[in-house]
Amino acid sequence: MRHVASLGTLVAAALWAGTSAAAEWRGYAAATTGFVIDHTSGVRAKGGALQAYVGVEAPFGLSLGVVGEGVETWGARFQGQQLQLDYRSLGLEMRLRFLRDGGVNPWVGLRVSQSRSTPLTLDDLGTPRRMLHDGLSTALRVGMDTWLGEHLGITASTAWQWCDVRVDGTTETGQTTQCAKPLHTILLGPTLRF
């Protein structure tokens, strides 16, 4: 029971730390760009990313917003063809912002979105093939907003993203669609607070 009380106290302290003294609702809009790194698969894809976010934040620092992202990556060369892991996604992101009234606001986020991936990978015969897949994807994000004034700032974030790219695979029961290995994004760009 003491552990539950301690956990409750910790959560309350985190929410209090993000609470504005004026208890005001806020809106945020950000446009960021950066790169994506595929650390975990054999494709070793790297490339550029664009992301847009618009959300509304409650007085205690919890926000909900719409996020869209597009990524184009290029990976290893096989049989003279450069492989790609590309996707577009649109979904919802929940963020919890800390130190809400300071000049620097760290935050954590969870994104759930619909992703449309078009990877160019090798089929079972070793021939490069463009695929098209739609599916649900998720991302765990960590970021920080640094404010240059009351309304303009810079956002830096990083994320591990699951199932943004799906690929065809073969099992004993036949052809299946599987999530590719997680992708890592690093993004930077301007943000507005209103």
Side-chain angles (χ1 to χ4, degrees):
M1 192 61 134
R2 286 183 182 173
H3 296 296
V4 173
S6 296
L7 181 59
T9 302
L10 182 62
V11 170
L15 292 176
W16 179 80
T19 302
S20 168
E24 63 184 0
W25 287 75
R26 292 180 177 162
Y28 290 88
T32 54
T33 187
F35 55 94
V36 176
I37 306 169
D38 166 30
H39 295 290
T40 54
S41 79
V43 177
R44 296 292 188 195
K46 297 176 185 170
L50 292 172
Q51 185 182 89
Y53 171 84
V54 176
V56 62
E57 184 179 85
F60 54 86
L62 187 64
S63 65
L64 183 64
V66 176
V67 62
E69 186 171 82
V71 168
E72 295 284 333
T73 70
W74 294 268
R77 282 194 166 281
F78 291 101
Q79 300 177 359
Q81 178 68 51
Q82 193 166 27
L83 304 184
Q84 294 177 296
L85 300 177
D86 303 335
Y87 71 88
R88 311 285 180 274
S89 68
L90 181 64
L92 296 175
E93 183 167 295
M94 187 168 35
R95 293 182 180 178
L96 180 59
R97 188 178 310 274
F98 303 95
L99 306 173
R100 191 169 180 249
D101 291 323
V104 176
N105 308 140
W107 52 267
V108 295
L110 178 63
R111 184 200 78 191
V112 177
S113 61
Q114 183 70 24
S115 286
R116 178 181 175 96
S117 61
T118 55
L120 177 65
T121 58
L122 299 178
D123 62 16
D124 293 337
L125 301 175
T127 305
R129 185 168 67 94
R130 177 72 69 182
M131 296 176 280
L132 173 62
H133 299 293
D134 289 311
L136 197 63
S137 65
T138 60
L140 178 62
R141 298 170 47 78
V142 176
M144 183 180 331
D145 297 337
T146 302
W147 298 102
L148 307 174
E150 187 175 340
H151 300 291
L152 179 63
I154 297 173
T155 292
S157 66
T158 186
W160 282 99
Q161 306 184 180
W162 289 267
C163 288
D164 276 306
V165 177
R166 294 169 190 264
V167 294
D168 288 342
T170 304
T171 64
E172 295 175 3
T173 59
Q175 197 82 358
T176 63
T177 299
Q178 306 168 350
C179 293
K181 303 279 186 177
L183 297 174
H184 179 208
T185 60
I186 299 172
L187 302 170
L188 180 70
T191 189
L192 294 175
R193 176 171 60 189
F194 46 91

